[in-house]
């Protein structure tokens, strides 16, 4: 279910000079803001939770997920080079699973690692805030990568739709509208973080069991459907 050649090509596409600069911009901004906040406000647990929840988890993680998830397959579909890949004796699910693994790894590295660093800068992991939000970023990375990989498979405007979802639904409605929170990857990952922190600083509107099931279901279904769409694309290319 994992092909090293497909993985190498995907890593090369995602970590090219231009895309790597984009991927690195938000983590650097998060760390810079964390340094400024720590210098101005000192170590404060509530401030750390606000920064990590509002900037890292609600904004940085989904945007990086968009870049990594759609970039893992979208450009190949757009320029037609995916037909060459599909002509090789590689099972279609293997292509999707490999690209998902790469997208998840890239999203985790560029979101969870900076979140942990920022958390330690802000309050030295007081009340487990840094670790809790890092765990949230890790589990969210899996679901986001699967969702946006699917989006990259079904739409030529995947980046636009992905950014709309990340910035409008997750960052705005997912934070402000009560009903929308239960359908938010952000809130599902916060449920996991709440369990890790074990306090009142990290909270979610979704229970842990519901969140775990939702994260698993979204990841599995998105991955499966992406594989089905790739099969359809193969038939279209052969015709």
């Amino acid at each position: 279910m994992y092909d090293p050649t497909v993985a190498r090509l995907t890593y090369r596409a995602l970590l090219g000079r231009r895309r790597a600069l984009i991927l690195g911009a938000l983590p650097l901004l998060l760390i810079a803001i964390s340094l400024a906040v720590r210098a101005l406000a000192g170590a404060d647990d509530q401030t750390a939770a606000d920064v990590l929840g509002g900037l890292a988890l609600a904004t940085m993680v989904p945007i990086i997920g968009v870049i990594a998830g759609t970039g893992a397959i979208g450009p190949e579909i757009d320029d037609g080079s995916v037909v060459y890949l599909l002509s090789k004796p590689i099972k279609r699910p293997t292509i999707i699973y490999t690209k998902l693994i790469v997208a998840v790894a890239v999203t985790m590295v560029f979101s969870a690692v900076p979140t942990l660093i920022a958390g330690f800068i802000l309050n030295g992991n007081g009340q487990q805030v840094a670790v809790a939000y890092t765990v949230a970023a890790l589990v969210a990375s899996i679901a986001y990568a699967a969702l946006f990989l699917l989006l990259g498979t079904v739409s030529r405007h995947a980046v636009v739709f992905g950014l709309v979802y990340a910035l409008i639904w997750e960052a705005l409605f997912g934070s402000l509208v009560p009903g929308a929170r239960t359908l938010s990857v952000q809130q599902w990952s916060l449920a996991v973080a709440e369990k890790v922190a074990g306090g009142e600083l990290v909270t979610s509107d979704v229970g842990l069991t519901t969140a775990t099931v939702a994260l698993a279901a979204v990841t599995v279904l998105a991955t499966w459907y992406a594989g089905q769409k790739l099969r359809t694309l193969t038939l279209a290319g052969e015709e």
Side-chain angles (χ1 to χ4, degrees):
M1 303 308 290
Y2 179 85
D3 187 271
T5 302
V6 175
R8 185 175 66 254
L9 293 173
T10 307
Y11 275 119
R12 185 179 301 173
L14 287 179
L15 300 178
R17 181 178 301 177
R18 180 181 176 184
R19 199 176 295 273
L21 289 175
I22 298 174
L23 284 169
L26 280 175
L28 290 175
L29 178 61
L30 172 64
I31 292 173
I33 291 175
S34 299
L35 289 169
V37 170
R38 177 62 185 265
L40 295 173
D44 181 77
D45 295 340
Q46 185 61 59
T47 300
D50 292 341
V51 172
L52 295 180
L55 181 57
L57 191 61
T59 304
M60 182 185 72
V61 180
I63 290 178
I64 290 177
V66 170
I67 298 171
T70 61
I73 196 169
E76 292 176 312
I77 294 178
D78 290 341
D79 62 20
S81 61
V82 71
V83 175
Y84 173 78
L85 179 62
L86 296 178
S87 68
K88 300 300 180 181
I90 306 173
K91 294 181 179 179
R92 304 305 175 255
T94 298
I95 295 174
I96 289 296
Y97 295 147
T98 301
K99 287 183 174 294
L100 176 62
I101 291 170
V102 173
V104 168
V106 170
T107 306
M108 285 182 172
V109 169
F110 283 91
S111 60
V113 174
T115 298
L116 182 63
I117 295 172
F120 274 96
I121 291 173
L122 287 165
N123 74 333
N125 195 37
Q127 299 194 50
Q128 293 291 308
V129 169
V131 171
Y133 276 103
T134 299
V135 172
L138 288 171
V139 297
S141 295
I142 301 173
Y144 282 133
L147 278 173
F148 297 130
L149 179 65
L150 169 61
L151 197 58
T153 306
V154 301
S155 174
R156 291 183 177 272
H157 306 288
V159 174
V160 175
F161 292 140
L163 289 176
V164 169
Y165 174 84
L167 297 177
I168 304 300
W169 184 264
E170 291 283 7
L172 184 59
F173 287 101
S175 300
L176 301 178
V177 181
R181 295 174 185 174
T182 58
L183 299 175
S184 166
V185 174
Q186 175 191 343
Q187 290 296 322
W188 300 339
S189 60
L190 276 174
V192 180
E194 182 179 7
K195 179 66 174 180
V196 175
E200 298 181 354
L201 287 176
V202 184
T203 60
S204 173
D205 293 338
V206 183
L208 179 60
T209 301
T210 301
T212 303
V213 171
L215 286 167
V218 164
T219 302
V220 171
L221 290 175
T223 304
W224 171 81
Y225 192 61
Q228 296 303 306
K229 294 301 293 184
L230 200 61
R231 290 178 186 274
T232 304
L233 183 63
T234 302
L235 294 175
E238 290 173 351
E239 292 173 358

